[in-house]
């Protein structure tokens, strides 16, 4: 017996495939932007110093981004992962707008794409929350 998630029952196969391609691309982006932060790269510290959280905050954000990248690839967690990445990308967009305005389109586009995944995975996220509440 096979089971399908609530969201995939009504979604065409091509749309589901496109959503997974987007999730994989976002996972790669999040992993790549997380690595310098996780490793404490001094070049990545400036935005975090700007808001007063410095190297410890940078490392925490890096690990959160990396965890989100992995969770985007897990069918049961991908919706929740995209929701959790939204505030991280809002922060990244605001910090980039303040520190380096000409580069703000990069985190802004990533924010929009992660919102798209969160929207299309909203039923999966709701099903996960319901399952957790039942336990």
């Amino acid at each position: 017996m096979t089971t399908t998630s609530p969201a995939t029952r009504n979604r065409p196969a091509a749309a589901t495939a496109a959503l997974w391609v987007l999730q994989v691309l976002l996972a790669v982006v999040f992993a790549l932007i997380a690595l310098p932060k996780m490793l404490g790269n001094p070049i990545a510290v400036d935005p975090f110093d700007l808001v007063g959280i410095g190297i410890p905050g940078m490392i925490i954000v890096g690990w959160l981004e990396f965890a989100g990248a992995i969770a985007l690839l897990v069918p049961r967690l991908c919706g929740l992962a995209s929701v959790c990445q939204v505030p991280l990308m809002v922060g990244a967009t605001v910090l980039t707008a303040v520190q380096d305005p000409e580069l703000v389109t990069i985190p802004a586009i990533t924010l929009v794409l992660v919102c798209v995944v969160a929207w299309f995975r909203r039923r999966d996220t709701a099903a996960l929350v319901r399952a957790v509440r039942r336990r």
Side-chain angles (χ1 to χ4, degrees), residues 18-42:
L19 189 57
W20 274 108
V21 167
L22 178 58
Q23 286 173 217
V24 168
L25 291 174
L26 283 170
V28 169
V29 167
F30 280 116
L32 290 175
I33 64 174
L35 285 174
K37 296 171 192 157
M38 290 168 44
L39 298 174
N41 188 329

Side-chain angles (χ1 to χ4, degrees), residues 23 26-27 30 64-89 114-115 117-118 121 124-125 128:
Q23 286 173 217
L26 283 170
F30 280 116
L64 289 172
E65 289 170 341
F66 191 73
I70 293 169
L72 278 170
L73 303 176
V74 178
R76 186 113 169 140
L77 300 176
C78 59
L80 182 61
S82 60
V83 170
C84 292
Q85 293 289 24
V86 170
L88 289 173
M89 289 314 303
V114 86
C115 285
V117 173
R121 294 289 184 193
D124 295 330
T125 304
L128 178 61

Side-chain angles (χ1 to χ4, degrees), residues 82-130:
S82 60
V83 170
C84 292
Q85 293 289 24
V86 170
L88 289 173
M89 289 314 303
V90 168
T93 303
V94 170
L95 281 176
T96 304
V98 169
Q99 188 178 30
D100 206 355
E102 62 271 2
L103 295 178
V104 75
T105 55
I106 297 168
I109 289 169
T110 307
L111 171 61
V112 169
L113 293 176
V114 86
C115 285
V116 167
V117 173
W119 176 259
F120 283 104
R121 294 289 184 193
R122 68 191 182 279
R123 290 186 184 103
D124 295 330
T125 304
L128 178 61
V129 170
R130 281 191 303 276

Side-chain angles (χ1 to χ4, degrees), residues 37 40-51 53-55 58 99:
K37 296 171 192 157
N41 188 329
I43 294 173
V45 175
D46 287 344
F48 297 93
D49 279 342
L50 183 68
V51 295
I53 60 174
I55 293 174
M58 176 188 70
Q99 188 178 30

